[in-house]
Amino acid sequence: MRERVPDDIVEDILCRLPVKSLIRFRCVTKSCNSIITGTTFINKHFKLNLNQCESVISTNTRSGYLLYATKDKNSSSSSKQLCTVVCNNDCTLTQVSRFEMPSFFDECNIVDFCNGLFCLASYEKELCHIIYLWNPSIRMFKKLLATPFTDKGTTSVMGLAYNSQNYDFKILRIVTVLDGQEAEAEIYSLSTDSWRKVVISMESLKGYEPNFGTIGEIYPPCIFLNGALHAVAATDDYCFILSFNVNDESFREIMLPPNSLDGVRGYFGDFLLFKGSLAVFVLSNDHRGILCHIWFMKEYGVAESWTKKCRVQTDWLCNGDFFGCTNNGELLIKNATGLVSIDPESQNQNILAIEDANWVAFSANSMESLVLLDGDRESEREGEEEEKNSNVCSMDDLDGALGSGGGLGSSSSGLGSSGDGHSRVTL
């Protein structure tokens, strides 16, 4: 009689397998399914993948990854595709993955992404409180409900981040109203599946300057760096970077370049990540016309370290869509030529072989995970969704109803609920 392999050894072996294989192995035995869908295993697998990604970044064997959303011309489906390509050191692109996005995401923006998890929200202002967390590698998403807007002058900015101390993903949603009210933050934790609200007053910020009034506007994007989310905020008379530490959930102020305008009239343009540092485009107008420079923060959090890097041609930004920067500091811009990467120092342009992309982003790593594969919520079936307004649904069960296809493997889970007002769906 053969000796049974201990569970801890099985778990250690499974932890080193790719997500696609693990999804398939869930069907092998109940024991395998129990291990793979357990929170401990999901966290262990995630940490191993993240460490591997960071190791690849440190060895500089690749220049990073481009992610983009586009429609597949060769498919009869009208749904968008989410594609990932690796940027090789010889400036070529190699496709890593392609996932079909659910058709109901057509009315959503990709707000942010972090370590293989994507955050989406509705285009419509009346519906932008409906938020989705999507893990394309396991074809699952989770529907969240934030606070709906009640005032026409209300706006919001969102960011997604990973809390490395507690192995948790968090969403930060900052809401502002143009009537003098204090800005309010809604913070969602995936580990507790709950929201909490915090009022953001200027007095509550570490390092604030007095008498600047209330925060009236927050500008996207929300950038995740050094364990914190960052966005540019403004009062009536003051503009600064608002930082949110995802580990202790504290807010602080980071000053923008104090002397960036050099005595001429101007304003801050795009907020970006430039070669691993916080950076801003500063546009100014003098006798030479409109000028644009990149300022970057050499030492994180130190206002005195803001440094003017280089001048950028304004027509690059004014006549195209700016999507961010690569690790090498090249600007990703969609213009009449298509999607190009531009070195702002040498001004060399490289046309990228990507067509009809309506969303583009750059990432230093590309990883898959089992995040959202919550075994505790997978026992209930499809018919319970309308009754309970929630939670787990396999896209393989819904393929016929939603007209969806493609993707990785299959999941044996059905539609179920936790009764918490959120929805989780397997794609």
Side-chain angles (χ1 to χ4, degrees), residues 202-203 208-215 235-239 253:
M202 291 299 293
E203 288 75 13
Y208 82 99
E209 298 292 336
N211 304 318
F212 280 122
T214 59
I215 298 172
T235 67
D236 289 340
D237 304 307
Y238 184 55
C239 199
E253 170 212 11

Side-chain angles (χ1 to χ4, degrees), residues 28 35 38 74 129 135 192 194 211 221 236 262 295 358-359 408:
V28 175
I35 291 172
N74 299 319
H129 64 288
N135 184 344
T192 61
S194 62
N211 304 318
D236 289 340
D262 296 327
W295 284 71
N358 51 29
W359 175 84
L408 286 178

Side-chain angles (χ1 to χ4, degrees), residues 77-94:
S77 171
S78 62
S79 295
K80 292 185 290 187
Q81 307 281 322
L82 176 68
C83 305
T84 302
V85 294
V86 62
C87 304
N88 302 308
N89 288 332
D90 60 359
C91 296
T92 59
L93 303 176
T94 303

Side-chain angles (χ1 to χ4, degrees), residues 293-312:
H293 290 90
I294 295 177
W295 284 71
F296 76 103
M297 182 174 266
K298 270 188 173 182
E299 187 176 348
Y300 176 76
V302 179
E304 293 75 19
S305 70
W306 280 107
T307 304
K308 184 190 289 188
K309 179 63 177 176
C310 55
R311 182 175 169 182
V312 176

Side-chain angles (χ1 to χ4, degrees), residues 31-51:
S31 175
C32 275
N33 182 63
S34 177
I35 291 172
I36 293 168
T37 58
T39 302
T40 301
F41 179 84
I42 290 172
N43 288 339
K44 184 177 179 180
H45 183 268
F46 179 88
K47 284 183 281 185
L48 282 173
N49 275 3
L50 186 59
N51 290 338

